[in-house]
Amino acid sequence: MIFLCFCLLYFIDFAVNGVYILTMNLNDDLARLSDQELYRRCQEYGKNARMWLRKFAALLPEVARRELYKKYGFGSIGEFAGMIAGMSGDAVAEV
């Protein structure tokens, strides 16, 4: 349980702080890519994003059952999913 909490806090910190650093590094390299390579990366990253979003969504029923979102200061499962994974309220409701 402690490991899960640590991972969740790390993920939240990365989502808030790490994306900015990652974006800064990517912008430098992106200008050097060919159109074909840029398109290939778009496809790859889009596919991976969908896969990870599905994996995250599969966790939500257990998060809701345990009311884990409350433990970390979120007002609802929708707020939890929106802040951590960028899921819309409609997407959360479908889960």
Side-chain angles (χ1 to χ4, degrees):
M1 181 66 169
I2 293 172
F3 179 72
L4 175 63
C5 295
F6 173 77
C7 290
L8 185 58
L9 290 174
Y10 176 79
F11 183 76
I12 292 169
D13 181 57
F14 178 76
V16 173
N17 299 317
V19 171
Y20 176 72
I21 294 166
L22 182 63
T23 303
M24 285 176 39
N25 293 337
L26 281 177
N27 286 339
D28 295 338
D29 297 331
L30 292 179
R32 297 183 183 120
L33 296 177
S34 68
D35 289 349
Q36 183 179 6
E37 178 59 20
L38 179 59
Y39 180 68
R40 189 197 66 72
R41 285 194 188 181
C42 288
Q43 289 177 311
E44 178 186 348
Y45 295 174
K47 179 181 174 184
N48 289 339
R50 288 188 302 273
M51 177 189 69
W52 285 107
L53 191 57
R54 285 191 301 271
K55 288 182 178 194
F56 178 82
L59 300 174
L60 291 180
E62 184 63 17
V63 169
R65 186 186 72 74
R66 296 182 191 190
E67 297 186 340
L68 189 65
Y69 58 92
K70 290 181 182 178
K71 200 175 194 178
Y72 290 94
F74 295 97
S76 68
I77 189 75
E79 182 185 356
F80 176 86
M83 291 295 291
I84 292 179
M87 289 182 73
S88 68
D90 291 339
V92 174
E94 289 179 18
V95 175

